[in-house]
Short mmCIF file of all heavy atoms in Angstrom, two decimals:
data_model
loop_
_atom_site.label_atom_id
_atom_site.label_comp_id
_atom_site.label_asym_id
_atom_site.label_seq_id
_atom_site.Cartn_x
_atom_site.Cartn_y
_atom_site.Cartn_z
N SER A 1 158.28 -11.07 52.35
CA SER A 1 159.22 -11.83 51.55
C SER A 1 158.62 -12.03 50.16
O SER A 1 157.44 -11.78 49.94
CB SER A 1 159.56 -13.17 52.19
OG SER A 1 158.40 -13.97 52.33
N ARG A 2 159.46 -12.46 49.24
CA ARG A 2 158.96 -12.70 47.89
C ARG A 2 159.67 -13.89 47.27
O ARG A 2 160.81 -14.20 47.59
CB ARG A 2 159.13 -11.45 47.01
CG ARG A 2 160.57 -11.07 46.71
CD ARG A 2 160.64 -9.69 46.06
NE ARG A 2 160.00 -9.65 44.75
CZ ARG A 2 159.62 -8.54 44.14
NH1 ARG A 2 159.79 -7.36 44.74
NH2 ARG A 2 159.05 -8.61 42.94
N ASP A 3 158.96 -14.55 46.38
CA ASP A 3 159.49 -15.65 45.61
C ASP A 3 159.21 -15.32 44.16
O ASP A 3 158.09 -15.52 43.67
CB ASP A 3 158.83 -16.97 46.02
CG ASP A 3 159.46 -18.17 45.35
OD1 ASP A 3 160.01 -18.03 44.24
OD2 ASP A 3 159.40 -19.27 45.93
N ASN A 4 160.20 -14.80 43.49
CA ASN A 4 160.00 -14.35 42.12
C ASN A 4 159.67 -15.50 41.17
O ASN A 4 158.94 -15.31 40.20
CB ASN A 4 161.22 -13.59 41.62
CG ASN A 4 161.38 -12.25 42.29
OD1 ASN A 4 160.42 -11.68 42.82
ND2 ASN A 4 162.60 -11.70 42.27
N ALA A 5 160.22 -16.68 41.45
CA ALA A 5 159.93 -17.83 40.61
C ALA A 5 158.45 -18.19 40.67
O ALA A 5 157.88 -18.66 39.68
CB ALA A 5 160.78 -19.03 41.01
N LYS A 6 157.84 -17.99 41.83
CA LYS A 6 156.42 -18.28 42.00
C LYS A 6 155.54 -17.06 41.78
O LYS A 6 154.32 -17.16 41.89
CB LYS A 6 156.16 -18.84 43.40
CG LYS A 6 156.84 -20.16 43.68
CD LYS A 6 156.52 -20.66 45.08
CE LYS A 6 157.17 -21.99 45.36
NZ LYS A 6 156.88 -22.48 46.73
N LYS A 7 156.16 -15.93 41.48
CA LYS A 7 155.43 -14.67 41.29
C LYS A 7 154.53 -14.39 42.48
O LYS A 7 153.36 -14.03 42.33
CB LYS A 7 154.63 -14.70 39.99
CG LYS A 7 155.47 -14.77 38.73
CD LYS A 7 154.59 -14.68 37.50
CE LYS A 7 155.41 -14.66 36.23
NZ LYS A 7 154.55 -14.54 35.02
N THR A 8 155.08 -14.54 43.66
CA THR A 8 154.30 -14.40 44.87
C THR A 8 155.05 -13.59 45.93
O THR A 8 156.26 -13.76 46.09
CB THR A 8 153.96 -15.78 45.46
OG1 THR A 8 153.25 -16.55 44.48
CG2 THR A 8 153.09 -15.66 46.70
N VAL A 9 154.33 -12.72 46.61
CA VAL A 9 154.86 -12.00 47.75
C VAL A 9 154.08 -12.43 48.98
O VAL A 9 152.87 -12.69 48.89
CB VAL A 9 154.80 -10.47 47.54
CG1 VAL A 9 153.35 -10.00 47.37
CG2 VAL A 9 155.47 -9.74 48.69
N TYR A 10 154.76 -12.53 50.12
CA TYR A 10 154.15 -13.01 51.34
C TYR A 10 154.25 -11.95 52.43
O TYR A 10 155.16 -11.13 52.45
CB TYR A 10 154.84 -14.27 51.84
CG TYR A 10 154.90 -15.39 50.83
CD1 TYR A 10 156.02 -15.56 50.02
CD2 TYR A 10 153.84 -16.27 50.68
CE1 TYR A 10 156.09 -16.58 49.10
CE2 TYR A 10 153.89 -17.30 49.75
CZ TYR A 10 155.01 -17.45 48.96
OH TYR A 10 155.07 -18.47 48.04
N LEU A 11 153.32 -12.02 53.34
CA LEU A 11 153.40 -11.24 54.56
C LEU A 11 153.10 -12.16 55.72
O LEU A 11 151.98 -12.65 55.85
CB LEU A 11 152.42 -10.06 54.55
CG LEU A 11 152.53 -9.11 55.73
CD1 LEU A 11 153.85 -8.34 55.68
CD2 LEU A 11 151.36 -8.13 55.77
N GLN A 12 154.12 -12.42 56.53
CA GLN A 12 153.97 -13.23 57.72
C GLN A 12 153.58 -12.31 58.87
O GLN A 12 154.32 -11.38 59.20
CB GLN A 12 155.26 -13.96 58.05
CG GLN A 12 155.21 -14.82 59.31
CD GLN A 12 154.31 -16.02 59.17
OE1 GLN A 12 154.30 -16.66 58.13
NE2 GLN A 12 153.55 -16.32 60.20
N LEU A 13 152.43 -12.55 59.46
CA LEU A 13 151.92 -11.72 60.54
C LEU A 13 151.97 -12.54 61.84
O LEU A 13 151.23 -13.50 62.00
CB LEU A 13 150.48 -11.27 60.29
CG LEU A 13 150.19 -10.40 59.05
CD1 LEU A 13 150.10 -11.25 57.79
CD2 LEU A 13 148.88 -9.66 59.24
N ASN A 14 152.85 -12.15 62.73
CA ASN A 14 152.99 -12.81 64.02
C ASN A 14 152.53 -11.91 65.15
O ASN A 14 152.46 -10.69 64.99
CB ASN A 14 154.44 -13.24 64.26
CG ASN A 14 154.94 -14.27 63.29
OD1 ASN A 14 154.17 -15.10 62.79
ND2 ASN A 14 156.24 -14.25 63.01
N SER A 15 152.24 -12.51 66.28
CA SER A 15 151.83 -11.77 67.47
C SER A 15 150.73 -10.77 67.14
O SER A 15 150.79 -9.60 67.52
CB SER A 15 153.04 -11.05 68.08
OG SER A 15 154.06 -11.96 68.43
N LEU A 16 149.73 -11.25 66.47
CA LEU A 16 148.66 -10.36 66.01
C LEU A 16 147.90 -9.74 67.17
O LEU A 16 147.68 -10.37 68.21
CB LEU A 16 147.71 -11.13 65.10
CG LEU A 16 148.24 -11.35 63.68
CD1 LEU A 16 147.46 -12.45 62.98
CD2 LEU A 16 148.15 -10.04 62.89
N LYS A 17 147.51 -8.50 66.96
CA LYS A 17 146.76 -7.73 67.93
C LYS A 17 145.42 -7.33 67.34
O LYS A 17 145.29 -7.24 66.12
CB LYS A 17 147.54 -6.46 68.32
CG LYS A 17 148.95 -6.70 68.79
CD LYS A 17 149.68 -5.37 68.99
CE LYS A 17 151.12 -5.59 69.43
NZ LYS A 17 151.82 -4.29 69.61
N PRO A 18 144.43 -7.06 68.17
CA PRO A 18 143.14 -6.62 67.64
C PRO A 18 143.26 -5.40 66.72
O PRO A 18 142.50 -5.30 65.75
CB PRO A 18 142.33 -6.30 68.89
CG PRO A 18 142.89 -7.23 69.91
CD PRO A 18 144.36 -7.29 69.63
N GLU A 19 144.19 -4.52 67.00
CA GLU A 19 144.37 -3.34 66.16
C GLU A 19 144.94 -3.65 64.79
O GLU A 19 145.01 -2.77 63.93
CB GLU A 19 145.24 -2.28 66.87
CG GLU A 19 146.56 -2.82 67.39
CD GLU A 19 146.50 -3.16 68.87
OE1 GLU A 19 145.51 -3.78 69.30
OE2 GLU A 19 147.44 -2.80 69.60
N ASP A 20 145.37 -4.89 64.56
CA ASP A 20 145.80 -5.31 63.23
C ASP A 20 144.62 -5.66 62.33
O ASP A 20 144.82 -5.91 61.14
CB ASP A 20 146.73 -6.52 63.32
CG ASP A 20 148.05 -6.20 64.01
OD1 ASP A 20 148.61 -5.11 63.76
OD2 ASP A 20 148.51 -7.04 64.81
N THR A 21 143.44 -5.70 62.88
CA THR A 21 142.25 -6.03 62.11
C THR A 21 142.06 -5.02 60.98
O THR A 21 142.00 -3.81 61.22
CB THR A 21 141.01 -6.05 63.01
OG1 THR A 21 141.13 -7.11 63.96
CG2 THR A 21 139.75 -6.27 62.18
N ALA A 22 141.98 -5.52 59.76
CA ALA A 22 141.85 -4.65 58.59
C ALA A 22 141.74 -5.52 57.36
O ALA A 22 141.97 -6.73 57.39
CB ALA A 22 143.06 -3.73 58.47
N VAL A 23 141.41 -4.87 56.26
CA VAL A 23 141.55 -5.50 54.96
C VAL A 23 142.98 -5.23 54.50
O VAL A 23 143.42 -4.09 54.47
CB VAL A 23 140.54 -4.95 53.94
CG1 VAL A 23 140.79 -5.56 52.56
CG2 VAL A 23 139.12 -5.23 54.40
N TYR A 24 143.69 -6.28 54.16
CA TYR A 24 145.07 -6.17 53.72
C TYR A 24 145.15 -6.25 52.21
O TYR A 24 144.61 -7.17 51.60
CB TYR A 24 145.93 -7.27 54.36
CG TYR A 24 146.25 -6.98 55.80
CD1 TYR A 24 145.25 -7.06 56.77
CD2 TYR A 24 147.53 -6.62 56.19
CE1 TYR A 24 145.53 -6.77 58.10
CE2 TYR A 24 147.83 -6.33 57.52
CZ TYR A 24 146.82 -6.41 58.46
OH TYR A 24 147.11 -6.13 59.78
N TYR A 25 145.83 -5.29 51.62
CA TYR A 25 145.95 -5.19 50.18
C TYR A 25 147.39 -5.37 49.73
O TYR A 25 148.31 -4.80 50.33
CB TYR A 25 145.47 -3.83 49.68
CG TYR A 25 144.01 -3.54 49.93
CD1 TYR A 25 143.60 -2.88 51.08
CD2 TYR A 25 143.04 -3.93 49.01
CE1 TYR A 25 142.27 -2.62 51.31
CE2 TYR A 25 141.71 -3.66 49.23
CZ TYR A 25 141.32 -3.00 50.39
OH TYR A 25 139.99 -2.74 50.61
N CYS A 26 147.56 -6.12 48.70
CA CYS A 26 148.84 -6.25 48.02
C CYS A 26 148.88 -5.26 46.87
O CYS A 26 147.87 -5.02 46.22
CB CYS A 26 148.99 -7.68 47.50
SG CYS A 26 150.46 -8.00 46.51
N ALA A 27 150.05 -4.67 46.63
CA ALA A 27 150.17 -3.69 45.57
C ALA A 27 151.56 -3.76 44.94
O ALA A 27 152.52 -4.20 45.56
CB ALA A 27 149.93 -2.27 46.11
N ALA A 28 151.64 -3.30 43.69
CA ALA A 28 152.89 -3.31 42.94
C ALA A 28 153.24 -1.91 42.48
O ALA A 28 152.36 -1.17 42.02
CB ALA A 28 152.79 -4.25 41.74
N ALA A 29 154.51 -1.56 42.60
CA ALA A 29 155.02 -0.27 42.16
C ALA A 29 156.24 -0.47 41.28
O ALA A 29 156.90 -1.51 41.35
CB ALA A 29 155.36 0.61 43.36
N GLU A 30 156.57 0.54 40.50
CA GLU A 30 157.70 0.45 39.60
C GLU A 30 158.95 1.13 40.15
O GLU A 30 159.97 1.18 39.46
CB GLU A 30 157.33 1.04 38.24
CG GLU A 30 156.21 0.30 37.56
CD GLU A 30 155.86 0.87 36.19
OE1 GLU A 30 156.76 1.45 35.55
OE2 GLU A 30 154.70 0.73 35.78
N VAL A 31 158.86 1.66 41.35
CA VAL A 31 160.00 2.33 41.96
C VAL A 31 160.22 1.80 43.37
O VAL A 31 159.32 1.22 43.99
CB VAL A 31 159.79 3.87 42.02
CG1 VAL A 31 159.67 4.44 40.63
CG2 VAL A 31 158.57 4.21 42.86
N TYR A 32 161.43 2.03 43.90
CA TYR A 32 161.76 1.70 45.27
C TYR A 32 162.68 2.78 45.80
O TYR A 32 163.60 3.19 45.10
CB TYR A 32 162.44 0.34 45.39
CG TYR A 32 162.64 -0.07 46.82
CD1 TYR A 32 161.68 -0.80 47.50
CD2 TYR A 32 163.80 0.30 47.51
CE1 TYR A 32 161.85 -1.16 48.82
CE2 TYR A 32 163.97 -0.05 48.84
CZ TYR A 32 162.99 -0.79 49.50
OH TYR A 32 163.16 -1.12 50.81
N PRO A 33 162.50 3.29 47.03
CA PRO A 33 161.47 2.84 47.98
C PRO A 33 160.08 3.33 47.60
O PRO A 33 159.93 4.29 46.85
CB PRO A 33 161.93 3.47 49.29
CG PRO A 33 162.62 4.72 48.87
CD PRO A 33 163.36 4.35 47.61
N ALA A 34 159.09 2.65 48.13
CA ALA A 34 157.70 2.98 47.85
C ALA A 34 156.87 2.68 49.08
O ALA A 34 156.48 1.53 49.31
CB ALA A 34 157.19 2.20 46.65
N VAL A 35 156.63 3.69 49.88
CA VAL A 35 155.84 3.53 51.10
C VAL A 35 154.54 4.32 51.05
O VAL A 35 153.74 4.23 51.97
CB VAL A 35 156.65 3.93 52.35
CG1 VAL A 35 157.88 3.04 52.49
CG2 VAL A 35 157.05 5.40 52.28
N LEU A 36 154.35 5.10 50.00
CA LEU A 36 153.12 5.85 49.83
C LEU A 36 152.26 5.15 48.79
O LEU A 36 152.74 4.75 47.73
CB LEU A 36 153.40 7.28 49.38
CG LEU A 36 154.24 8.12 50.34
CD1 LEU A 36 154.50 9.50 49.76
CD2 LEU A 36 153.57 8.23 51.70
N ASP A 37 150.97 5.02 49.07
CA ASP A 37 150.10 4.29 48.18
C ASP A 37 149.96 4.95 46.81
O ASP A 37 149.62 4.29 45.83
CB ASP A 37 148.73 4.03 48.80
CG ASP A 37 148.03 5.30 49.26
OD1 ASP A 37 148.53 6.41 49.01
OD2 ASP A 37 146.95 5.17 49.88
N ALA A 38 150.26 6.25 46.73
CA ALA A 38 150.11 6.96 45.48
C ALA A 38 151.06 6.46 44.39
O ALA A 38 150.80 6.65 43.20
CB ALA A 38 150.31 8.46 45.69
N VAL A 39 152.17 5.84 44.77
CA VAL A 39 153.15 5.39 43.77
C VAL A 39 152.88 3.96 43.30
O VAL A 39 153.57 3.48 42.41
CB VAL A 39 154.59 5.50 44.30
CG1 VAL A 39 154.87 6.91 44.80
CG2 VAL A 39 154.85 4.48 45.40
N TYR A 40 151.90 3.31 43.87
CA TYR A 40 151.58 1.94 43.47
C TYR A 40 150.58 1.96 42.33
O TYR A 40 149.56 2.64 42.39
CB TYR A 40 151.04 1.13 44.65
CG TYR A 40 152.14 0.75 45.61
CD1 TYR A 40 152.60 1.63 46.58
CD2 TYR A 40 152.75 -0.50 45.52
CE1 TYR A 40 153.62 1.28 47.44
CE2 TYR A 40 153.77 -0.86 46.39
CZ TYR A 40 154.21 0.03 47.34
OH TYR A 40 155.22 -0.31 48.20
N THR A 41 150.87 1.17 41.32
CA THR A 41 150.07 1.16 40.11
C THR A 41 149.01 0.08 40.11
O THR A 41 147.91 0.28 39.59
CB THR A 41 150.99 0.96 38.88
OG1 THR A 41 151.99 1.99 38.85
CG2 THR A 41 150.18 1.03 37.59
N PHE A 42 149.33 -1.07 40.68
CA PHE A 42 148.43 -2.21 40.65
C PHE A 42 148.08 -2.65 42.06
O PHE A 42 148.93 -2.66 42.95
CB PHE A 42 149.05 -3.39 39.89
CG PHE A 42 149.44 -3.05 38.48
CD1 PHE A 42 150.75 -2.73 38.17
CD2 PHE A 42 148.49 -3.05 37.48
CE1 PHE A 42 151.11 -2.40 36.88
CE2 PHE A 42 148.84 -2.72 36.17
CZ PHE A 42 150.16 -2.40 35.87
#
C-alpha cells in the first residue's frame, strides 16, 4: 500500500515463513507495470 501524503509505501507481511527470510528492498520506478528490477531507478 502507499500513502502519497506521507511519501511512504508499506508492505504488510502476514503468515511469515522461514523462506521469507531476506533483506527487503524498497525501489522506485518511472513506469508501470514494473516487476523487473532493471526498470527501477532508485
Side-chain angles (χ1 to χ4, degrees):
S1 61
R2 67 191 295 162
D3 186 333
N4 290 338
K6 297 181 179 179
K7 294 184 177 182
T8 303
V9 62
Y10 305 95
L11 185 68
Q12 179 68 41
L13 299 80
N14 295 330
S15 301
L16 283 163
K17 306 173 181 179
E19 51 262 44
D20 294 319
T21 295
V23 176
Y24 283 71
Y25 297 93
C26 175
E30 298 181 28
V31 298
Y32 186 90
V35 299
L36 300 178
D37 55 6
V39 306
Y40 285 83
T41 304
F42 303 98

